[in-house]
Amino acid sequence: MSRAARNYALIFFGCLVFHLAGTWSLPLIDRDEPRFAEASREMRERQDFVVPFFNNEYRFDKPPLTYWAQVASYKIFGENDFAARFPTAIAGALTAMVLFAWGRRLADATIGWWAAAIFTVCLQTFVHGKAAVADMWLVLFVTLAHFAGWRWRTADRSDSESQKSIFAFYFWQGFAFLAKGPIGLVPILTMIFSGARGRPAREETGSRRMSLHFAGAVLMLAIICAWGVPALIRTHGEFWRVGMGKHVVARSIATMEGHGASSPLMYVALLPFYFVTVFASFFPWSLKLPSLLRQLRQRCDVTDKFLLIGVAIIFGIFTLVKTKLPHYTLPAFPLLALLMARHAAALKLSRNSAVAVATFLLLFALVAPPLSARYFPTYQLARDAAARLTPETAIASIEFNEPSLVWYFRARSHRFVEAIRKKDAAEFMTSDGPRALILPTDAAARIFPNPDPAWSRAETTGFNIPKGQRANLTLLLKPR
């Protein structure tokens, strides 16, 4: 094996282990992780790889690439928390490899090592490199597209190299869209606003460039439409109306699930949101951001400008979007990592400090999940009931309707989870067949003061993360 191949293998497997650490012992975190994991399970059950479902209802939130990856993981590892998160770790490790390759192309392996390390060992990557969601796949394909776009924009090249770069750019753009929708197309804006060009190929005229871009755009659309057209036909256009209308347009002009500004004044107040949260998200490297900006004011070449424009576009888009979450700007972090890696010497980055931070995060990932698992109420109730749940057990919940209920209880039961009202609880439990009801503990005492002795009962106290409050839950289980 060549030295370069050994370096790539070391980066991939090292980052993979780093991202996977602790994923087997931390329950899926409401709400997004269980939604993705369960939608992938239902996709596998239905053998329908076009239209995702969650709890037997359409799930139009995201395109299917993450579900496809999780389905493949389930075939290898079974349907469990580790398998749901494994594809994300793969995407994170591949992103580090892309950064290493980009760094080598820029100068030498040192820049590549620093870029891969900076991206991997920052707080937001540490969190989302373990999460069973679409973000890391988006980051991977956006980074690949930026890399291809940079090669076309800045490198001296032959006509064949120009063609390869353009087609690679649009190819990865297609997959970025399949990962998380239109936001995956931001590298197109980077290409538009970065005017830097290397020496054009002799054969590359203006009309030739236009034809190459047209052909590349057709390739991108073909990738998107291979899934999108069947999805739109089968859902009679609902995938577009909800996926684009609600989860793109509405997210841009209104807050969703309480994430963002609820008034014009609050919207203005939150405009600097990402320029503040980056100091936590990109920690510990964010401590060097002021020094990096000073360095760039002194020396900023064509590549620095390309990377800065990419970062500015991503931060700018999400600054204007009304719904805000700290991880939305994660696709900019590989570009920030490359910027910092190019100026590592001037910034006096310390290898020992990087190793120390990576070691701390690795130990934290191994120690914290087992200690925190008991605070996940759905996970605890499902574990307590596992031996008594059957494929025929009907499942219902009252007032607690988090997606983790569906994910954990459907691991044993083939029935979907039904949300019912308090007044229907008695009728549900006394109907024929095995039954499982999850409800607040105080409500259980009022509705069922004298439950049937044949019923099993389990109680747990945990934390409802999306609502930021304690959850005291009771499980009533009727065997037959």
Side-chain angles (χ1 to χ4, degrees):
M1 185 182 292
S2 68
R3 182 175 182 180
R6 286 198 301 271
N7 286 341
Y8 281 113
L10 181 59
I11 287 172
F12 177 77
F13 289 107
C15 292
L16 185 63
V17 170
F18 180 79
H19 291 314
L20 287 175
T23 55
W24 54 83
S25 54
L26 180 68
L28 297 190
I29 300 173
D30 280 313
R31 296 184 173 108
D32 287 341
E33 281 197 295
R35 285 171 175 163
F36 274 94
E38 175 60 23
S40 299
R41 173 161 59 196
E42 294 183 33
M43 179 176 281
R44 188 182 183 206
E45 290 174 349
R46 294 170 181 272
Q47 288 296 294
D48 178 356
F49 302 102
V50 175
V51 181
F53 285 78
F54 175 81
N55 202 29
N56 204 34
E57 296 181 354
Y58 284 136
R59 175 167 164 78
F60 295 135
D61 300 46
K62 299 291 184 293
L65 190 142
T66 303
Y67 307 132
W68 294 341
Q70 288 178 326
V71 166
S73 183
Y74 292 166
K75 293 190 66 140
I76 300 171
F77 301 109
E79 295 170 359
N80 54 64
D81 297 349
F82 174 82
R85 289 171 169 146
F86 182 78
T88 294
I90 292 285
L94 289 174
T95 304
M97 289 180 64
V98 174
L99 290 174
F100 179 74
W102 198 341
R104 289 184 70 224
R105 180 95 178 193
L106 280 166
D108 53 42
T110 302
I111 291 179
W113 279 108
W114 269 117
I118 291 168
F119 170 74
T120 302
V121 187
C122 75
L123 190 57
Q124 197 62 258
T125 303
F126 172 73
V127 172
H128 273 79
K130 301 177 182 297
V133 293
D135 295 271
M136 199 54 69
W137 286 105
L138 171 70
V139 170
L140 170 62
F141 294 120
V142 166
T143 304
L144 282 164
H146 272 130
F147 185 19
W150 169 82
R151 289 176 63 181
W152 184 80
R153 273 296 194 193
T154 64
D156 294 339
R157 58 193 180 276
S158 67
D159 187 59
S160 62
E161 289 173 330
S162 178
Q163 291 183 49
K164 290 178 183 177
S165 296
I166 289 176
F167 282 113
F169 174 80
Y170 287 104
F171 179 79
W172 297 124
Q173 285 287 260
F175 283 95
F177 186 97
L178 292 181
K180 209 174 178 182
I183 191 60
L185 304 182
V186 290
I188 292 176
L189 296 178
T190 305
M191 290 282 280
I192 291 172
F193 289 103
S194 62
R197 290 290 306 277
R199 187 174 66 245
R202 263 183 307 183
E203 304 89 339
E204 189 180 89
T205 62
S207 59
R208 173 66 172 165
R209 284 198 302 272
M210 289 296 294
S211 64
L212 287 174
H213 279 289
F214 178 79
V218 169
L219 173 63
M220 176 185 73
L221 291 174
I223 293 170
I224 296 170
C225 290
W227 160 78
V229 171
L232 291 174
I233 292 173
R234 290 204 20 213
T235 61
H236 306 288
E238 283 294 288
F239 218 125
W240 177 267
R241 188 185 66 80
V242 178
M244 287 293 295
K246 178 181 177 182
H247 293 284
V248 176
V249 177
R251 193 180 294 270
S252 301
I253 62 175
T255 59
M256 293 191 68
E257 297 183 344
H259 303 309
S262 57
S263 67
L265 182 60
M266 183 61 70
Y267 174 76
V268 173
L270 285 177
L271 285 177
F273 178 80
Y274 293 109
F275 299 93
V276 175
T277 59
V278 69
F279 286 95
S281 299
F282 200 53
F283 185 84
W285 313 104
S286 55
L287 299 176
K288 295 289 185 177
L289 286 178
S291 300
L292 176 63
L293 291 175
R294 288 195 295 270
Q295 182 69 23
L296 291 173
R297 280 199 294 268
Q298 297 172 7
R299 181 175 70 85
C300 187
D301 62 16
V302 168
T303 294
D304 287 335
K305 290 177 182 176
F306 180 90
L307 297 173
L308 276 171
I309 288 169
V311 171
I313 287 171
I314 294 170
F315 272 75
I317 288 173
F318 288 112
T319 293
L320 297 176
V321 168
K322 208 164 186 181
T323 300
K324 288 180 166 58
L325 283 170
H327 70 272
Y328 282 178
T329 54
L330 186 57
F333 284 16
L335 306 181
L336 273 176
L338 277 164
L339 273 170
M340 196 161 281
R342 296 196 76 209
H343 300 275
L347 298 177
K348 299 180 180 178
L349 299 184
S350 168
R351 294 181 183 179
N352 291 337
S353 297
V355 171
V357 173
T359 302
F360 172 80
L361 291 176
L362 185 61
L363 291 174
F364 180 84
L366 293 171
V367 173
L371 297 177
S372 61
R374 64 191 182 95
Y375 296 105
F376 290 75
T378 305
Y379 170 79
Q380 293 297 333
L381 288 178
R383 189 185 65 172
D384 292 343
R388 290 164 288 176
L389 289 172
T390 69
E392 296 78 28
T393 302
I395 305 166
S397 65
I398 296 174
E399 293 184 0
F400 186 88
N401 300 311
E402 299 302 338
S404 56
L405 275 178
V406 186
W407 168 246
Y408 285 114
F409 277 83
R410 288 203 70 243
R412 294 281 180 166
S413 172
H414 294 167
R415 306 285 290 274
F416 295 102
V417 178
E418 179 185 2
I420 64 174
R421 296 170 295 181
K422 292 179 182 178
K423 68 176 186 176
D424 300 322
E427 180 182 355
F428 173 81
M429 288 300 293
T430 54
S431 298
D432 293 338
R435 304 266 153 172
L437 178 64
I438 302 95
L439 70 169
T441 298
D442 56 352
R446 293 194 304 271
I447 299 171
F448 300 101
N450 299 300
D452 190 314
W455 297 0
S456 300
R457 182 188 182 101
E459 294 183 3
T460 189
T461 298
F463 194 74
N464 187 341
I465 294 175
K467 293 186 176 180
Q469 60 188 29
R470 289 177 65 85
N472 300 308
L473 300 179
T474 292
L475 167 68
L476 298 174
L477 197 150
K478 186 182 78 167
R480 289 292 172 189

